[in-house]
Amino acid sequence: MSPVNPFDDAATARAVVDGSGTVREWNEGARLLLGHPAAEVVGRPATDLLADGHEGTPPGHDDEQWSGILTLRHRDGHTVPVWVLAHRRPAADGAPASWLAVTPLEAGPEPDDDSLVRAALTQSPCAMMIFDDRLLLRGVNDTMARLMGLPADRVRGLRATDISGRPQNAELERQMRRVLATGRRQDMQARLRAVGESRAHAWNARIAPLTDADGRVCGVCVSAHDFTEQHRARERLQLVNEASVRIGTTLDVTRTAQELADVCVPALADFVSVDLLDPRENGGEPAAVVEPPVGLRRTAHRSVTADCPQAVTETGRLDVYPAGSPQAECLLSGQAIVASTAYGDLERWLQWDPARLKRMEEYGIHSTMSVPLQARGTTLGVAVFTRFRRPDPFTHDDVLLAEEVSARAAVCIDNARRYSREREATLTLQRSLLPRWLPPTAAVEAASRYLPAARSGVGGDWFDVIPLSGMRVAMVVGDVVGHGIPASATMGRLRTAVRTLADIDLTPEELLTHLDDLVVRLSEESGDDRAGEVGATCLYVVYDPVSRHCAMARAGHPAPVLIPPDGPPEQVELPSGPPLGVGGLPFESAEMQLREGSVLALYTDGLVESRDRDTDVGQALLREALAVPSASLDAACDRVLHTLLPAGSAADDVALLLARTRGLPAGQVATWDIPADPSLVAPVRKQVLEQLSDWGLLEATFTAELVVSELVTNAIRYGSPPIRLRLIHDTATLICEVSDTSHTAPHLRRARTWDEGGRGLLLVAQLTQRWGSRHTTEGKTIWAELGLLDDEE
């Protein structure tokens, strides 16, 4: 077995010389060779050991290894010609770089006389080294000697670490020591450049034990096999597998193009750029036929050096490539184009662009490969692979590999492009169906946010604020099952249905019942046998600023959060109700009084639900965010989104609607009980005129008097007592309401010339902004709204 400290092995003379030429270490083998003990040599210049002359050329500053015969001076004065092998040792553990000079003292017998070497040479046909049980080299065959670039008869007696200071030699020595100890064969792989070669090869070193007749391990045979081609094939397969995993992780065109560049650097090229045809020039689609000059937009690039200094074009920039450029020609032919300085065609390809030619000369670019990106018969762009650090040009196998990886990336880019196009179309549809602005109302101050899903596509979330008669307002938030255009289209139909049903003043539970019937019919019309294919959830709220009364009902939707003017946020206790589309199940409403300044938060489940947290945790975070005082409802919306969605994106659509309630002062409401006597209509008109005078609405008296007269007269003539008249005054609106206990709704009709009546409601419709009727628990209410701003102007 080898000594504890191989440096002190007396079978080999070893000395360490630092960069200044001073001897730093001197072993026992060196003392035996020249007679000088270590105390007399260490710290002295190495040149003191030289005789008057020496053979060979001494090592230079850039050399890693040197060998030759030196004539050294023995301690007793005589000269000793010695073959010396010196190699540079890299700096380690803070010590400076140095040179290790060695010469074997025990060369051992010649190969023909050594049965151990003869047996190994007979059994191994490849490059081979034989080491004894002290890990001293006993012999090498001619193939191994040529690879090392050293004479076979000179290196016998050296260790692997004496021959070279490369880390691979130290690892080889560790593996051989393990083989000596265990008697089991070991394999070691390394990438090394043989002497006289410009390219490194992949080597597999097979380290096998050599035994004597008694079965005792007495040496080690190291046979080296060049498996560069197999190694390259494995690297190509690994790159293809890695590309299938790393490319296409998202449905984003830019990200996918960047993933292509990232995968291929440095595995295939030193610099990769991805340029895509600009779809904006062809209505969102790549051109069917590519003809030069070709406009390509730099989408991504990657380099082995930081900041990509080799790039002539910045990402996002559109460049035009003329005929004769490799980009245009490869797109035109649909084939990869390889150019290299070794073949003399790279400069010819780059003559069209002096800037690229200058960049090539500046960074030593010697080989490029332009590969078209094609998928499903569509040309998407081009990927350009460049080498300047790796010395070897692109080979035919490299072209096949680049085409394989680029084809995979092109499919992913095409998928991302199609998804982006569909997503943009869906977003456009969704924006057209969602309210572009919230109507100002006297009942509430509102703010909203809509955030489409980041990955799963645009869904069917929606919100709305609907002004109702009598200064009331309806607020709705809904969520359609599914994503994409079908969900958005269904959302648009449901939003329209809600607005239509809200116009007839249905109670919240009645409105949801009608909406549930609609969803059931939509599911049946979809032609899908799977039950519940079309489904939705909804929350509907009606608030009256006159009475401060609020009624709400929900269909499988999250309950709203109420923030009182002087208290913490709280979840409203509200019966859940079945989701829309189940059919046949009842909905329940809840009623409450809201103080002025209360805030209602209506939202969809995408805000509080997440894979990373439970719904209860999300709702707690929502209440926490709403508890923080905000300067405005818009600021509160932003805080909620930042708290619950800190990354700025959500796995599902998010709709948020915040509404702060307002109350109408009692002084802006006037109510009269009307006797069922037509003769008393005149006194009522007089009271109305007095009230309008008190409100300062003299400009509206004529129209208001006429409308009140018609509505009260109709209620007395066709309704049932008790009859009540109510005037509601707002900044821009005057509302006249007449209620009675009859459930018969009035109808607008066109009176004939000889009819004595039938023109009252037609006249009301012409004089007011809008009018209508709503059913109540006691009967019905006929109402009409008069605009005041136009009258004041």
Side-chain angles (χ1 to χ4, degrees):
M1 297 294 293
S2 60
V4 176
N5 187 358
F7 185 83
D8 293 333
D9 181 14
T12 303
R14 296 183 178 89
V16 176
V17 181
D18 63 15
S20 64
T22 303
V23 178
R24 293 303 178 188
E25 296 184 50
W26 187 265
N27 79 335
E28 177 63 17
R31 187 194 67 79
L32 294 176
L33 177 65
L34 298 180
H36 297 282
E40 294 181 0
V41 178
V42 174
R44 294 174 54 190
T47 54
D48 292 350
L49 300 173
L50 297 176
D52 295 338
H54 62 273
E55 300 180 20
T57 303
H61 293 289
D62 297 330
D63 294 333
E64 296 294 330
Q65 188 181 77
W66 179 88
S67 63
I69 297 179
L70 296 178
T71 303
L72 304 178
R73 180 78 62 183
H74 195 274
R75 189 186 187 202
D76 60 11
H78 73 277
T79 59
V80 181
V82 179
W83 180 86
V84 176
L85 171 63
H87 62 82
R88 188 189 301 273
R89 299 199 307 179
D93 300 330
S98 58
W99 285 83
L100 173 64
V102 298
T103 186
L105 301 182
E106 300 179 8
E110 292 297 325
D112 293 341
D113 300 332
D114 194 323
S115 59
L116 182 65
V117 175
R118 185 170 60 252
L121 290 174
T122 302
Q123 299 171 17
S124 177
C126 58
M128 184 178 56
M129 296 184 292
I130 308 300
F131 292 86
D132 61 16
D133 58 355
R134 295 179 298 172
L135 296 184
L136 298 179
L137 185 64
R138 295 285 291 272
V140 298
N141 64 356
D142 293 339
T143 304
M144 181 62 75
R146 285 194 299 269
L147 292 177
M148 292 191 302
L150 297 172
D153 58 339
R154 295 291 189 178
V155 294
R156 290 198 303 272
L158 297 180
R159 289 180 173 273
T161 51
D162 293 335
I163 297 173
S164 175
R166 291 179 296 194
Q168 292 87 346
N169 285 55
E171 177 62 22
L172 175 62
E173 193 165 285
R174 283 192 293 269
Q175 296 289 349
M176 288 192 297
R177 189 175 293 113
R178 183 179 302 172
V179 171
L180 286 176
T182 63
R184 292 193 296 269
R185 188 185 68 187
Q186 298 286 336
D187 284 343
M188 171 185 163
Q189 294 183 356
R191 192 174 182 89
L192 297 171
R193 181 171 56 87
V195 176
E197 291 187 344
S198 59
R199 294 174 54 187
H201 288 245
W203 295 92
N204 183 68
R206 179 154 294 177
I207 310 168
L210 298 176
T211 59
D212 57 15
D214 298 330
R216 184 180 63 88
V217 178
C218 56
V220 177
C221 173
V222 179
S223 56
H225 305 268
D226 185 354
F227 74 114
T228 303
E229 293 303 321
Q230 297 88 335
H231 180 71
R232 289 178 179 174
R234 186 171 61 187
E235 285 184 335
R236 295 187 186 102
L237 180 60
Q238 181 179 356
L239 180 60
V240 172
N241 292 334
E242 188 175 359
S244 64
V245 174
R246 293 177 55 187
I247 299 177
T249 59
T250 66
L251 288 172
D252 180 80
V253 174
T254 302
R255 177 70 177 274
T256 304
Q258 187 63 54
E259 288 169 346
L260 168 60
D262 293 343
V263 165
C264 295
V265 175
L268 182 58
D270 299 322
F271 175 74
V272 174
S273 61
V274 180
D275 300 308
L276 299 181
L277 293 168
D278 195 358
R280 285 174 285 187
E281 298 181 355
N282 300 281
E285 287 287 341
V289 179
V290 179
E291 295 181 355
V294 180
L296 293 172
R297 189 174 298 277
R298 175 61 53 86
T299 307
H301 53 222
R302 177 69 182 271
S303 174
V304 293
T305 54
D307 301 328
C308 295
Q310 298 80 22
V312 179
T313 300
E314 299 179 355
T315 55
R317 177 180 167 184
L318 180 67
D319 278 353
V320 178
Y321 295 85
S325 63
Q327 290 87 345
E329 293 300 321
C330 84
L331 290 177
L332 188 62
S333 64
Q335 302 294 326
I337 292 179
V338 179
S340 173
T341 55
Y343 301 110
D345 56 355
L346 181 58
E347 293 187 5
R348 177 177 61 84
W349 278 113
L350 296 180
Q351 286 297 331
W352 67 277
D353 191 349
R356 281 178 167 81
L357 187 59
K358 180 180 179 182
R359 196 66 56 95
M360 180 198 77
E361 297 172 350
E362 180 180 356
Y363 290 96
I365 296 173
H366 61 81
S367 187
T368 65
M369 174 171 50
S370 301
V371 180
L373 298 174
Q374 298 172 324
R376 301 181 181 95
T378 302
T379 301
L380 304 174
V382 60
V384 179
F385 302 81
T386 303
R387 284 182 179 176
F388 55 89
R389 180 176 293 180
R390 294 176 59 165
D392 49 315
F394 290 110
T395 63
H396 178 67
D397 290 335
D398 293 330
V399 174
L400 295 178
L401 178 60
E403 289 177 338
E404 173 69 18
V405 175
S406 298
R408 291 172 178 262
V411 172
C412 296
I413 290 174
D414 187 54
N415 290 337
R417 179 184 60 83
R418 291 170 181 264
Y419 167 78
S420 299
R421 184 183 59 190
E422 180 178 348
R423 176 180 172 84
E424 185 61 31
T426 307
L427 278 172
T428 302
L429 175 62
Q430 182 114 5
R431 293 190 190 102
S432 67
L433 296 176
L434 287 173
R436 298 188 179 184
W437 54 279
L438 298 179
T441 66
V444 295
E445 173 195 358
S448 63
R449 293 292 185 274
Y450 171 75
L451 191 64
R455 296 184 179 179
S456 56
V458 179
D461 290 16
W462 92 92
F463 59 90
D464 210 346
V465 174
I466 308 170
L468 301 177
S469 62
M471 294 288 182
R472 296 171 306 131
V473 66
M475 294 166 284
V476 59
V477 171
D479 184 2
V480 176
V481 174
H483 296 89
I485 292 180
S488 296
T490 302
M491 177 272 290
R493 300 176 73 174
L494 294 184
R495 178 172 177 252
T496 302
V498 170
R499 278 190 160 268
T500 302
L501 295 172
D503 282 343
I504 60 177
D505 277 310
L506 294 178
T507 60
E509 68 274 12
E510 291 176 329
L511 183 141
L512 292 181
T513 300
H514 286 284
L515 202 61
D516 181 51
D517 294 338
L518 173 62
V519 174
V520 171
R521 290 196 298 273
L522 292 177
S523 184
E524 294 173 351
E525 293 172 0
S526 66
D528 200 317
D529 295 334
R530 291 173 292 178
E533 181 67 20
V534 178
T537 64
C538 185
L539 171 64
Y540 186 75
V541 179
V542 176
Y543 173 68
D544 187 346
V546 177
S547 62
R548 275 79 162 181
H549 179 267
C550 182
M552 61 184 71
R554 60 174 173 152
H557 201 85
V561 174
L562 172 64
I563 306 98
D566 54 359
E570 57 188 29
Q571 206 84 25
V572 176
E573 294 293 335
L574 183 62
S576 62
L580 299 175
V582 175
L585 297 178
F587 298 94
E588 301 180 49
S589 64
E591 300 181 358
M592 63 185 69
Q593 293 295 121
L594 297 181
R595 289 181 293 167
E596 184 175 0
S598 300
V599 176
L600 277 175
L602 289 69
Y603 56 93
T604 55
D605 56 6
L607 181 65
V608 295
E609 292 184 2
S610 171
R611 295 179 181 178
D612 302 330
R613 62 169 182 259
D614 295 334
T615 303
D616 294 339
V617 176
Q619 291 177 340
L621 287 175
L622 173 61
R623 293 192 295 270
E624 179 182 339
L626 292 172
V628 179
S630 302
S632 64
L633 291 182
D634 283 318
C637 287
D638 293 337
R639 179 181 295 105
V640 168
L641 294 182
H642 179 74
T643 301
L644 280 86
L645 305 172
S649 61
D652 195 7
D653 283 22
V654 171
L656 174 64
L657 177 63
L658 298 184
R660 179 178 287 115
T661 61
R662 295 168 176 163
L664 204 63
Q668 294 181 227
V669 181
T671 305
W672 296 271
D673 291 325
I674 308 299
D677 185 354
S679 63
L680 298 178
V681 173
V684 172
R685 290 200 302 266
K686 182 179 179 182
Q687 295 176 5
V688 168
L689 293 177
E690 292 175 352
Q691 183 63 59
L692 294 179
S693 177
D694 293 340
W695 285 341
L697 303 178
L698 296 180
E699 295 84 354
T701 54
F702 175 77
T703 304
E705 181 182 11
L706 184 57
V707 171
V708 168
S709 178
E710 291 295 335
L711 295 183
V712 170
T713 300
N714 281 346
I716 294 174
R717 182 175 300 175
Y718 304 109
S720 301
I723 301 171
R724 175 168 294 180
L725 169 64
R726 185 171 72 166
L727 296 182
I728 304 174
H729 168 224
D730 187 29
T731 304
T733 307
L734 176 65
I735 300 175
C736 301
E737 295 182 346
V738 178
S739 304
D740 65 82
T741 58
S742 172
H743 291 280
T744 303
H747 297 283
L748 187 67
R749 65 185 180 89
R750 184 175 298 278
R752 290 172 293 185
T753 305
W754 55 83
D755 289 344
E756 295 183 0
R759 299 178 178 84
L761 287 181
L762 180 61
L763 185 62
V764 170
Q766 297 296 321
L767 294 176
T768 60
Q769 288 184 335
R770 61 179 188 146
W771 74 279
S773 65
R774 65 176 181 268
H775 290 280
T776 64
T777 55
E778 297 83 9
K780 69 175 182 299
T781 298
I782 312 299
W783 55 269
E785 291 185 5
L786 287 71
L788 299 179
L789 295 181
D790 292 341
D791 294 340
E792 293 176 0
E793 291 177 358

